[in-house]
Amino acid sequence: MELRSLVGTLRQCGRARSVRHGKSFHCHFVKLGLSSDVYYANNLMSMYVESNSLEDAYHLFEQMPVRNLVTWSTIISAYAGAAEPDIAIRMYNLMLESEDESPNGFVYSAVLKACSLSENGSQHALECIRIMHREGFKLDEFTFPCALKSCGSLGSVALGRQVHGYVEKSGFGSSCFSATALVDMYSDCIQLDDATRVFYEYLAQGVSIHESLVLYNSMLSGYVLGGRDKAALEMLSKIHSSGVCMDSYTFSSGLKASFNSLNLRVGLQVHGLATTSGYGLDYVIGSIVIDLYANHGKIGNALRLFHLLPTKDMVAWSGLIVGSAKAGLYSLSYSLFRDMISLGEDVDEFIITSTVKVCSSLVSIRSGKQVHAFCVKNGYLSDGVVATYSIDTGANRVNMSIIGTHISIL
């Protein structure tokens, strides 16, 4: 078989995700002494990527004596597309260190996508944007939303305004996609006047709520984030009156505004609409409602919904734990904390602090010792608030020698 035909067949294996047949061609290339040739190695790596066999692709990548731009762009985009953003960013940094090739627009797009997915990718994204600008690469409709998201995550409104100007000059400013990304960025930077201006400038084009619900959701979220809960509830009412089918993002923002404004009646109405729309057991919506119920002392209602939710996040757990304590149900609050730990759920300083306070109201000395031991074991005593409450709890108990106690917990 001619080498050109071999490569064509190899590409068919990738499209068919037939990694077993692809590996047989890999062995054939090795026998022919072609596996170290960058052209054939790149095609092999592409086959592994298309076959969802990233481990084989990376193993081949490590063995390649020569790498070119196609090699790097293939491996970086593969990890970005496979929701492995931190690895993609690491590969990009390796590319810069290797000096084999300079990144091109395709590589930068893949890196920005990875940065938008990574919890710690915002700073990398901004640096990538600066390099793109210096090298003369233009942001497009796929890269500038990543740039705006990074600006928002870091609160870098100055750079966000620069990207906004670039978006307008490039002709992308008139789309709902662009307006939504800009509203999100300005909202994250707590620049609600700018977010509102972008929002209404887009609506001035005559678009309906049905055509722009995603933009309305972003503005709703911005109002809630900026503490303008009355404006958020007014917008929610407008969306509802339009007859558009609201989604989980609309309902969750409406519920957060109800919670922040301590308006249980409106919150229950929003939850009722969410339930009739099929979102009643959505874990985000359910968690906010549980928090709302618990905050108003309706622990029974909160518990019933809590047990109905198929998935429970930290908001649901903390809402019940804190709400039970606020209602004087200290034993229930502590029991929920124990359940949370035994199920392997993550806890934060807020939950720990609330539980330590609960222990000071319980008769059992053992519970205080156990929570303190948990704090020691997991490093929470470095948090000043937790440490303070631990000391207060100890002071409220006769002979309660918590400090320095190390026992097996829960």
Side-chain angles (χ1 to χ4, degrees):
M1 185 182 292
E2 293 184 4
L3 292 178
R4 184 175 297 179
S5 299
L6 277 173
V7 171
T9 306
L10 184 65
R11 289 173 179 170
Q12 290 178 4
C13 290
R15 286 191 290 269
R17 297 185 178 181
S18 179
V19 69
R20 183 173 62 86
H21 288 98
K23 284 186 175 182
S24 67
F25 281 100
H26 189 171
C27 292
H28 192 57
F29 283 157
V30 171
K31 291 177 181 177
L32 293 174
L34 297 173
S35 61
S36 60
D37 182 283
V38 67
Y39 171 75
Y40 297 104
N42 283 341
N43 277 280
L44 282 168
M45 191 166 64
S46 295
M47 179 274 297
Y48 284 128
V49 169
E50 288 189 86
S51 301
N52 294 325
S53 185
L54 276 183
E55 185 177 348
D56 289 308
Y58 181 73
H59 183 63
L60 176 60
F61 171 85
E62 284 191 311
Q63 293 178 328
M64 292 175 66
V66 178
R67 299 163 182 156
N68 62 12
L69 185 58
V70 174
T71 312
W72 286 104
S73 62
T74 299
I75 198 70
I76 292 171
S77 61
Y79 279 113
E84 294 282 359
D86 293 330
I87 300 178
I89 293 169
R90 178 165 60 83
M91 299 303 294
Y92 167 69
N93 289 331
L94 285 175
M95 180 184 185
L96 297 180
E97 292 170 6
S98 71
E99 298 183 353
D100 289 341
E101 298 277 355
S102 297
N104 61 2
F106 186 78
V107 171
Y108 285 128
S109 295
V111 174
L112 284 173
K113 178 181 178 180
C115 291
S116 70
L117 297 173
S118 173
E119 292 182 1
N120 304 307
S122 297
Q123 193 61 56
H124 289 288
L126 294 185
E127 183 59 32
C128 186
I129 293 164
R130 292 188 182 100
I131 294 174
M132 289 179 70
H133 181 70
R134 187 172 67 239
E135 299 295 327
F137 289 99
K138 292 184 178 180
L139 294 173
D140 57 24
E141 57 186 320
F142 302 105
T143 53
F144 79 76
C146 299
L148 289 170
K149 181 177 179 179
S150 298
C151 294
S153 297
L154 293 173
S156 181
V157 67
L159 185 56
R161 292 188 197 283
Q162 291 180 29
V163 177
H164 185 178
Y166 183 89
V167 169
E168 295 292 344
K169 291 177 182 178
S170 302
F172 296 119
S174 60
S175 73
C176 184
F177 190 61
S178 302
T180 301
L182 287 165
V183 167
D184 285 339
M185 183 275 292
Y186 282 125
S187 297
D188 288 340
C189 294
I190 317 298
Q191 301 293 318
L192 281 187
D193 290 341
D194 290 297
T196 305
R197 177 174 53 80
V198 171
F199 175 76
Y200 283 108
E201 282 178 356
Y202 179 76
L203 293 187
Q205 300 180 56
V207 296
S208 67
I209 297 178
H210 294 73
E211 299 172 293
S212 55
L213 181 61
V214 63
L215 176 61
Y216 272 85
N217 284 343
S218 289
M219 196 66 250
L220 262 176
S221 178
Y223 280 141
V224 173
L225 190 63
R228 298 187 188 178
D229 301 303
K230 182 179 178 182
L233 292 175
E234 289 174 353
M235 180 170 286
L236 181 71
S237 177
K238 181 179 179 180
I239 295 172
H240 176 57
S241 300
S242 73
V244 69
C245 293
M246 294 183 280
D247 59 21
S248 61
Y249 297 100
T250 319
F251 290 124
S252 61
S253 291
L255 284 167
K256 288 175 184 176
S258 303
F259 179 88
N260 293 340
S261 58
L262 303 178
N263 196 327
L264 179 62
R265 180 182 60 82
V266 173
L268 294 180
Q269 290 177 349
V270 176
H271 186 220
L273 285 173
T275 301
T276 56
S277 301
Y279 295 102
L281 296 181
D282 177 272
Y283 82 94
V284 175
I285 291 173
S287 295
I288 300 171
V289 176
I290 288 169
D291 205 7
L292 184 63
Y293 272 133
N295 191 58
H296 283 79
K298 297 184 177 296
I299 306 302
N301 300 67
L303 271 174
R304 279 191 289 274
L305 179 56
F306 181 83
H307 290 305
L308 286 173
L309 286 183
T311 303
K312 304 165 182 65
D313 65 5
M314 193 180 295
V315 175
W317 284 100
S318 63
L320 263 182
I321 290 171
V322 175
S324 299
K326 183 180 177 181
L329 302 173
Y330 304 118
S331 295
L332 174 60
S333 182
Y334 180 67
S335 177
L336 286 165
F337 175 75
R338 286 174 59 95
D339 291 343
M340 194 175 184
I341 299 303
S342 65
L343 291 171
E345 299 285 344
D346 292 330
V347 298
D348 60 10
E349 287 81 0
F350 181 69
I351 293 174
I352 290 291
T353 302
S354 300
T355 306
V356 171
K357 291 171 65 178
V358 163
C359 291
S360 67
S361 301
L362 289 172
V363 176
S364 171
I365 295 175
R366 176 178 172 80
S367 62
K369 289 184 176 182
Q370 288 181 329
V371 174
H372 185 270
F374 179 82
C375 291
V376 172
K377 182 179 179 181
N378 293 277
Y380 287 107
L381 282 186
S382 60
D383 181 88
V385 178
V386 174
T388 300
Y389 278 118
S390 294
I391 294 170
D392 290 344
T393 302
N396 290 338
R397 289 284 174 260
V398 179
N399 296 324
M400 189 175 180
S401 55
I402 292 178
I403 304 300
T405 300
H406 295 269
I407 60 175
S408 56
I409 161 77
L410 305 173

